[in-house]
Amino acid sequence: MKKKAFIYDTSKGFSSLIKHYYSTKMDIDVCTNKKKFVLDNIKGYDVCFFVVNDMDDLSNLIKAYYKIEHFFIGAPNKITEDKIDSLNYENVVVLDFNSSKHEILKVINFNLELKELIEI
């Protein structure tokens, strides 16, 4: 059975990348509009990819964190990344958006396989 992934990405670029590389390996739902983000709709997901662009996104992350077991979190700027780090969340993979696409996918693949969420 395919695992289910939820992507929250209001900038839309990262979600396109994830959908492109993983849509055949898992069922993916995407939220690209923070006004359409409904916490009650986040049920039954195995993994979440969450991009934090601003404080509204950070607030949504804090709400969603306890709903899904495995999280990949990315932030395009250092200030937001520091705020994410200060949350001291466990079992979270923080993605370095300053890395190349190849390096980011390598980190994602390694962790998805490690957590038995996909087979590479």
Side-chain angles (χ1 to χ4, degrees), residues 4 11-12 16 26 30 42 58 94 97 104 109 114 118:
K4 287 184 67 178
S11 59
K12 301 176 185 156
S16 295
M26 59 179 67
V30 180
I42 302 177
L58 184 64
V94 178
F97 282 174
I104 292 171
N109 284 338
L114 182 69
I118 64 167

Side-chain angles (χ1 to χ4, degrees), residues 50-66 71-75 78-94:
F50 210 100
V51 179
V52 180
N53 292 301
D54 56 29
M55 291 303 111
D56 289 336
D57 293 342
L58 184 64
S59 174
N60 286 338
L61 168 65
I62 291 168
K63 294 172 191 170
Y65 174 72
Y66 296 100
F71 261 84
F72 291 84
I73 303 172
K78 181 73 172 133
I79 294 169
T80 309
E81 195 174 294
D82 289 345
K83 290 193 183 300
I84 293 166
D85 287 341
S86 72
L87 296 172
N88 294 317
Y89 285 156
E90 294 181 16
N91 299 321
V92 168
V93 177
V94 178

Side-chain angles (χ1 to χ4, degrees), residues 1-44:
M1 185 165 95
K2 277 187 178 180
K3 300 294 184 178
K4 287 184 67 178
F6 179 78
I7 305 172
Y8 178 95
D9 177 18
T10 57
S11 59
K12 301 176 185 156
F14 183 71
S15 59
S16 295
L17 175 75
I18 296 302
K19 282 173 37 180
H20 176 76
Y21 282 94
Y22 299 103
S23 63
T24 60
K25 297 177 187 294
M26 59 179 67
D27 292 328
I28 299 174
D29 293 326
V30 180
C31 176
T32 58
N33 184 329
K34 61 184 85 188
K35 291 179 182 175
K36 293 183 179 180
F37 178 73
V38 179
L39 191 60
D40 290 340
N41 291 345
I42 302 177
K43 294 178 186 164

